[in-house]
Amino acid sequence: MIKIIKIAFLLTGTMVLGSVATAQQQQAKPNEHEQHQQHSEQQKEQPAAQHEHEEHHDHSGHSMSKTTGPATDHTGEHDKDHSVDDKTHEHAIDHSKHNVESTEHGDMHHHHHMDHDHMMDHEGTMIMGQNLDKLPSSCKSISEEVEITVRAGRKYAGKFPGTAFAFDQQEWRVKPCAKVTFHFINEDQIRHQFMMHGLPKYLYKYGMFHLEVTGPKTVSGTIIAPGSDDTFLVHCDISHHMEKGMKAQFIVGKGSENIPSIPGLTPYNRTDIYEAENLPRVSDKANQSAMVREITKTFAKQDTQNYLIILLGALVGLLCIPLVKMLIPRKKTEK
Amino acid sequence: MPNPILIAVMVFYLATASITAQASLKLPQTIKVDRAALTAEPPCDPKISPAWREAQVIDGVKIDASPACSPDNPAWIAAAVKGTNNVSMDTLMKTGLSPDTIIKTDDLDGDGDPDRIIIKLEVMELNGKSPDFPGIVPTFDIAPGVQPGVWVFAPKGSGMSTENFESVRANPLLRLPAPVIRVEQGDIVQLVLENTHYFPHSIHLHGVDHPFMHKEHGGGDGVPQTSEIELMPGERRVYEFQPRQAGTMFYHCHVQTHTHLSMGLAGMIVVEENRPNNWLQTLNIGGGHVRHSSVAIKEKFDQEYDMHYHAMDKELGDIIQKYNDPRLIARDMNQRYDITDSTEDYYTINGLSFPYSLRESLIIVKPDQKIKLRLLNSGGEMIAIHTHGHHATITHYDGVEHNPVAQIMRDVFDMAPAQRLDLTLETTNDGKHSYGEGDWLIHDHREKGITTNGMAEGGSMSSIVYTSYLGEDGLPKTSHFGIDLSHFFTKEYWERRVPIWQDLDETANLGSPAGQTVSMDAATKNSLLNATYGLLIGILIYFIFSKREYIKQSVMTVISRNKDGKGSQQ
Ligand SMILES: [Cu+2]
Ligand SMILES: [Cu+2]
């Protein structure tokens, strides 16, 4: 009888196996293309309305940059005698008249790129997508005028373990239709950006407002917030600055959905795995006399550890004997 | 007794044997991969305008023609020659460079060219992990779909790291290799490192005449164990030097060099001989063809090419794709990665592997030319560069001229790590310098050097192509031999999913066999094995069940004996 059951079990086993194998082959295909198609969620924000009415305004006389720390290394260079003999190489822009003072009231005026929404000075300080006076269609008037100082630098990453760069704040709030001037202070000696995305495209080229400056230095720029509640991504787009902490959100009114992976504010979409590590500690040494140390050394050996565990197992087994004894007689009586 | 285990094994064997026998009667069909199923890329980068190939003058800078299919952006060359401080804003806006990336001023010796040169470099990560989406950013392919995690010195840029906000692809300035730097003998050079990366770095000027310690700016040699502390994220350091000797040299990061160099923080630096009116192309971004050579080179040569060979370990680059937290990356790189157990997987020339090397790093020649080749090996092993169809002359080792009388011709050039060789390639058809016109390969003759993560034909392979063998698109003409390179321009090829010989004949004799449901692939084997374990466990349980009375008894006796023993002791 038992033998027959056994054989039957065997046969069904082999049959099931065959079908499992086929199923596995058919499943192997999907899951490969995900990677490239997806991009971060926050980048999908589209302005609610996309109107097409372009106005052209002048925005003269806006202070652009001022040095807050020691001048960058080459500012002095422009003072020096430019005796470069330019026979074939004509200077499109004459640098010889530069002097250090020019940085104080913003180089922007007599210099460099100045189209409607892209201004840049000779050190790469940049204002893009500034809006001083174009009212969003959802606003009847400016609700408030606000000045926000944003500091950026490595030192602000200190309070967020696992980051490298950060802004001093991770969130700014204004009323709808507020006119906001950002003073972006870069306290590092490298480039940082204050880049806002998802603004209405009829007012902001690419829906973007962008300040960029090599520190230590300040750059200021103005926008007018949309008339409805919304939340905008602010980040630095230098490779891995956002990923390593330089990320924040600009909240208009009540805001909308939070933006992920802002340090101290919102969780990462994808987190790393952390494991406890065998790091040396002062306490390892401090409370141990020489003899204790000797003993722990032998205990720490792999073999000793194994034996200890076996011993432990045996003890547990011994403790269980009374239990077994209690069970067995009961069974016997049942029979 | 008729062992139940024996019966089980017999039945099992019979069942599988009969199925296998049936299958071998008819072998599976060949499945040919349909071309339409492949992600085909155009052989030439469609984002690059063919107008870039032409000889042209921008802002007064003469730029030589460069007929390869993806030549350098001529605006880069103009900005590098004039300096970003002198070039027109219109040209600068086409470069993506910052206006202070290359500052050229002060003709100190009065010979018609600037002698104070400031060059600003940043440190950029490519193909690193994002905490926002399951992918890497910003992406850079060394071959179609091949995206190792790398770091690189990049010329100081302006604006976004990606092409645009919708794209994850790195902007063209963020690429391997670190740019070739060209300065003139006697120039006062400030190489400014702005550490935009989340790890400490430095610059060591290997072979370039530089002070061990600069009075004003501190660190000179870039070594954290001798002359300077690590340059931390967010900090800037000026490396000032005034090189007295010309030559082909090397610069690289000297912090945790065993990983940082291989990660890509390495580039070529050339000190050119001092000549009047010597406006140099300060940066050759991407390496390759020099389209505005120095006065001294133009005196002797028809063309000049910078050829930077590099090698990378996949397992090292994977670390920045595994973690986002800099502490974990540091732990894995500094404490867990063991370079003595490592192997190199990617071999590049000027930052790219075959077939992308064909886009940028062809040596395009005409008969009877004299061509200057500058070679650098920044990989961790010896390489052996072989020129098909040519013998070239080694003129300089490590930037120092070899005694002209003793200079030798070779067709294999062995280069130790960090070594530089200057070669003179002459396309004179005499059976020695050149065997005549053709599309002649130039490749590392260690055979792994022509693979990409073990997949051939990849690696640092490129060609010396005579213009008579060059197609209109700038790629070597191969189709008239019936050669089709298009499968190399698909990511599926590098994913090892295309049987490479399937198209060599009509019947696809060496194509891929269809799978069979009964064939023993790994998964099936595994399930069979599991079933066998299950069987054995079942039998064991049955055995215990049937003998339960006996087991019970023996356990009881053991226990009672134990009890007795204890009792007697008391
Ligand atoms: Cu930044
Ligand atoms: Cu480094």
Side-chain angles (χ1 to χ4, degrees):
Chain A
M1 226 292 267
I2 290 161
K3 269 178 211 162
I4 294 165
I5 293 169
K6 238 181 285 169
I7 290 162
F9 172 63
L10 268 171
L11 285 175
T12 43
T14 32
M15 275 176 214
V16 169
L17 270 181
S19 56
V20 169
T22 344
Q24 274 173 341
Q25 276 196 341
Q26 284 162 348
Q27 268 180 358
K29 271 165 196 174
N31 290 340
E32 297 229 312
H33 291 271
E34 291 176 320
Q35 192 153 342
H36 296 277
Q37 259 94 8
Q38 293 189 30
H39 197 23
S40 54
E41 252 118 85
Q42 76 275 7
Q43 304 193 350
K44 284 177 200 148
E45 288 163 22
Q46 288 293 334
Q50 282 205 12
H51 302 258
E52 274 296 325
H53 64 97
E54 286 244 336
E55 293 170 65
H56 288 278
H57 281 277
D58 278 325
H59 46 259
S60 48
H62 193 79
S63 155
M64 159 82 189
S65 59
K66 64 177 184 252
T67 313
T68 55
T72 34
D73 295 300
H74 62 271
T75 34
E77 241 73 42
H78 299 276
D79 282 326
K80 288 179 187 134
D81 179 33
H82 284 239
S83 53
V84 180
D85 191 358
D86 256 1
K87 278 165 205 151
T88 51
H89 301 263
E90 280 175 27
H91 284 224
I93 300 149
D94 188 11
H95 282 252
S96 54
K97 288 175 190 89
H98 277 203
N99 50 35
V100 183
E101 296 98 76
S102 68
T103 34
E104 270 183 27
H105 50 256
D107 229 350
M108 228 81 284
H109 303 293
H110 61 138
H111 206 341
H112 283 175
H113 204 61
M114 279 269 259
D115 77 30
H116 184 63
D117 50 21
H118 187 177
M119 292 187 279
M120 185 161 72
D121 78 356
H122 74 283
E123 288 178 327
T125 307
M126 196 199 301
I127 306 171
M128 241 172 115
Q130 173 165 250
N131 176 16
L132 291 167
D133 44 20
K134 278 177 278 174
L135 213 55
S137 55
S138 47
C139 296
K140 285 191 183 122
S141 60
I142 302 280
S143 63
E144 57 173 357
E145 294 211 10
V146 196
E147 301 210 10
I148 295 177
T149 300
V150 179
R151 293 170 185 275
R154 171 162 172 77
K155 77 175 184 201
Y156 299 109
K159 59 178 181 241
F160 305 116
T163 63
F165 301 103
F167 299 116
D168 62 336
Q169 291 170 69
Q170 281 58 49
E171 187 172 274
W172 304 277
R173 290 173 184 271
V174 299
K175 288 182 191 159
C177 307
K179 183 173 176 180
V180 190
T181 299
F182 291 98
H183 303 291
F184 181 53
I185 306 177
N186 178 356
E187 299 182 5
D188 282 340
Q189 296 175 307
I190 58 166
R191 266 196 306 148
H192 281 306
Q193 301 164 339
F194 176 92
M195 199 185 267
M196 193 184 290
H197 288 278
L199 293 165
K201 285 187 178 156
Y202 70 95
L203 289 176
Y204 303 90
K205 205 176 177 182
Y206 313 116
M208 219 166 96
F209 167 62
H210 174 182
L211 302 173
E212 176 169 335
V213 64
T214 301
K217 207 177 174 189
T218 303
V219 58
S220 303
T222 303
I223 58 163
I224 298 172
S228 51
D229 296 340
D230 213 340
T231 297
F232 299 95
L233 163 73
V234 173
H235 71 143
C236 174
D237 195 60
I238 293 171
S239 179
H240 283 264
H241 283 208
M242 174 177 85
E243 286 75 10
K244 271 66 179 173
M246 212 165 232
K247 193 173 188 182
Q249 57 188 11
F250 177 62
I251 299 175
V252 176
K254 291 179 189 122
S256 58
E257 237 176 276
N258 269 344
I259 285 161
S261 56
I262 296 176
L265 208 66
T266 56
Y268 283 175
N269 285 336
R270 302 175 62 77
T271 43
D272 291 334
I273 294 161
Y274 297 86
E275 54 193 70
E277 286 178 58
N278 176 24
L279 300 171
R281 284 169 305 182
V282 180
S283 57
D284 293 348
K285 290 198 228 171
N287 356 323
Q288 285 168 8
S289 68
M291 219 175 68
V292 175
R293 218 173 294 146
E294 265 317 296
I295 294 165
T296 42
K297 229 185 260 171
T298 40
F299 270 71
K301 274 184 195 160
Q302 196 60 45
D303 285 353
T304 329
Q305 268 177 9
N306 287 343
Y307 291 136
L308 278 174
I309 287 164
I310 290 168
L311 197 72
L312 204 75
L315 279 172
V316 172
L318 280 173
L319 284 171
C320 287
I321 286 169
L323 260 173
V324 177
K325 255 165 52 191
M326 277 167 71
L327 286 171
I328 288 163
R330 214 180 289 158
K331 266 190 185 167
K332 257 186 184 167
T333 46
E334 269 168 22
K335 277 209 168 175
Chain B
M1 72 176 178
N3 197 332
I5 296 171
L6 203 73
I7 293 167
V9 171
M10 266 171 59
V11 172
F12 186 75
Y13 176 77
L14 283 172
T16 43
S18 65
I19 295 166
T20 320
Q22 259 187 346
S24 67
L25 282 178
K26 193 168 179 255
L27 293 176
Q29 291 290 310
T30 301
I31 295 182
K32 203 166 167 178
V33 175
D34 187 346
R35 294 242 155 177
L38 303 178
T39 321
E41 287 181 16
C44 292
D45 187 342
K47 287 181 182 157
I48 289 177
S49 160
W52 286 6
R53 295 183 204 153
E54 282 146 33
Q56 50 200 287
V57 177
I58 298 178
D59 292 358
V61 176
K62 272 172 99 179
I63 298 164
D64 291 345
S66 189
C69 87
S70 299
D72 292 340
N73 181 349
W76 284 350
I77 299 164
V81 173
K82 294 204 76 167
T84 49
N85 60 326
N86 298 321
V87 81
S88 71
M89 185 46 74
D90 209 34
T91 305
L92 184 66
M93 293 322 287
K94 292 177 190 153
T95 62
L97 296 166
S98 174
D100 64 344
T101 307
I102 306 164
I103 301 170
K104 297 190 167 186
T105 56
D106 304 270
D107 184 3
L108 299 171
D109 56 5
D111 71 347
D113 55 57
D115 298 317
R116 261 181 209 280
I117 315 289
I118 299 172
I119 302 159
K120 294 190 174 166
L121 298 178
E122 298 177 322
V123 182
M124 293 296 178
E125 175 161 316
L126 299 168
N127 302 325
K129 187 184 173 178
S130 164
D132 296 319
F133 66 102
I136 50 177
V137 68
T139 63
F140 172 73
D141 294 37
I142 61 167
V146 182
Q147 302 174 325
V150 297
W151 300 331
V152 69
F153 293 118
K156 183 176 182 181
S158 177
M160 307 187 73
S161 291
T162 50
E163 292 174 314
N164 55 61
F165 194 55
E166 275 73 41
S167 165
V168 289
R169 231 175 89 158
N171 88 48
L173 283 173
L174 306 190
R175 56 160 297 164
L176 283 174
V180 179
I181 298 173
R182 269 189 165 67
V183 294
E184 199 184 24
Q185 215 176 356
D187 277 356
I188 297 174
V189 185
Q190 288 193 351
L191 190 55
V192 183
L193 180 59
E194 296 188 349
N195 187 2
T196 50
H197 193 241
Y198 52 82
F199 278 169
H201 298 292
S202 75
I203 291 179
H204 169 62
L205 292 159
H206 181 135
V208 182
D209 174 26
H210 67 277
F212 177 71
M213 185 77 203
H214 192 274
K215 316 191 266 301
E216 227 177 297
H217 306 292
D221 203 34
V223 181
Q225 291 76 39
T226 57
S227 64
E228 67 184 67
I229 55 165
E230 289 89 343
L231 183 71
M232 291 302 285
E235 293 179 351
R236 165 176 48 216
R237 184 166 292 152
V238 178
Y239 294 91
E240 186 173 312
F241 57 100
Q242 191 171 13
R244 288 163 291 184
Q245 304 291 339
T248 309
M249 308 302 182
F250 179 28
Y251 70 99
H252 63 84
C253 175
H254 220 295
V255 175
Q256 291 290 307
T257 324
H258 69 295
T259 54
H260 287 209
L261 207 162
S262 166
M263 283 296 286
L265 294 172
M268 188 187 288
I269 175 165
V270 179
V271 182
E272 298 276 3
E273 291 167 25
N274 194 3
R275 293 285 192 282
N277 288 307
N278 201 9
W279 287 73
L280 303 176
Q281 185 184 331
T282 307
L283 295 180
N284 185 9
I285 299 162
H289 191 193
V290 185
R291 294 174 73 181
H292 186 94
S293 288
S294 69
V295 173
I297 294 301
K298 278 190 204 131
E299 285 166 4
K300 291 187 205 154
F301 298 96
D302 300 300
Q303 288 197 73
E304 181 184 12
Y305 289 86
D306 298 332
M307 300 167 73
H308 178 169
Y309 289 91
H310 188 60
M312 293 173 288
D313 176 13
K314 183 177 185 300
E315 283 66 39
L316 178 62
D318 281 350
I319 296 172
I320 63 168
Q321 302 182 343
K322 189 173 172 196
Y323 304 110
N324 181 53
D325 189 326
R327 297 170 301 173
L328 296 175
I329 299 173
R331 179 199 66 192
D332 273 32
M333 280 203 177
N334 299 342
Q335 290 143 253
R336 298 198 174 172
Y337 177 74
D338 185 347
I339 193 172
T340 63
D341 293 336
S342 76
T343 51
E344 294 174 340
D345 301 289
Y346 300 115
Y347 301 95
T348 56
I349 170 145
N350 297 328
L352 301 175
S353 295
F354 185 87
Y356 283 174
S357 54
L358 298 180
R359 290 178 170 179
E360 293 187 7
S361 286
L362 290 176
I363 300 168
I364 298 168
V365 302
K366 289 184 179 129
D368 301 312
Q369 279 190 325
K370 206 172 166 189
I371 299 138
K372 172 91 166 173
L373 305 179
R374 298 179 190 266
L375 276 62
L376 160 68
N377 174 20
S378 68
E381 293 176 13
M382 196 93 168
I383 58 171
I385 304 301
H386 169 47
T387 48
H388 284 212
H390 297 81
H391 284 79
T393 307
I394 304 171
T395 60
H396 297 68
Y397 290 92
D398 299 338
V400 179
E401 190 178 17
H402 196 58
N403 179 359
V405 187
Q407 286 177 3
I408 54 166
M409 292 183 81
R410 300 184 78 171
D411 64 11
V412 177
F413 304 95
D414 53 315
M415 296 178 76
Q419 192 124 60
R420 286 90 60 213
L421 287 183
D422 289 20
L423 307 181
T424 299
L425 178 75
E426 284 170 85
T427 51
T428 318
N429 183 0
D430 58 3
K432 182 163 89 173
H433 291 87
S434 165
Y435 314 163
E437 298 186 31
D439 168 16
W440 302 100
L441 221 55
I442 172 166
H443 65 94
D444 185 356
H445 218 297
R446 300 172 312 147
E447 302 315 328
K448 61 182 174 182
I450 55 163
T451 67
T452 296
N453 199 16
M455 187 76 192
E457 308 288 321
S460 55
M461 197 164 81
S462 177
S463 276
I464 301 169
V465 196
Y466 286 71
T467 46
S468 54
Y469 283 83
L470 195 73
E472 264 176 37
D473 59 355
L475 285 175
K477 267 191 282 191
T478 50
S479 55
H480 58 282
F481 299 118
I483 295 171
D484 180 7
L485 299 178
S486 61
H487 55 294
F488 291 113
F489 288 96
T490 67
K491 72 178 166 62
E492 289 80 6
Y493 183 91
W494 303 104
E495 289 168 354
R496 302 159 187 268
R497 295 173 60 206
V498 181
I500 65 166
W501 285 338
Q502 72 161 15
D503 295 321
L504 290 186
D505 57 10
E506 283 289 303
T507 51
N509 230 333
L510 295 168
S512 181
Q516 271 185 331
T517 44
V518 283
S519 70
M520 296 277 272
D521 58 61
T524 320
K525 251 185 227 167
N526 198 26
S527 355
L528 279 179
L529 219 68
N530 283 342
T532 318
Y533 292 146
L535 272 178
L536 289 174
I537 292 166
I539 290 160
L540 190 74
I541 290 169
Y542 162 74
F543 179 75
I544 293 168
F545 183 72
S546 58
K547 306 275 179 182
R548 62 190 186 283
E549 289 302 321
Y550 175 75
I551 294 170
K552 231 183 270 171
Q553 270 177 6
S554 48
V555 169
M556 284 302 289
T557 47
V558 170
I559 289 169
S560 60
R561 236 181 256 159
N562 210 5
K563 228 181 181 177
D564 291 348
K566 269 183 195 167
S568 63
Q569 267 180 1
Q570 278 175 348

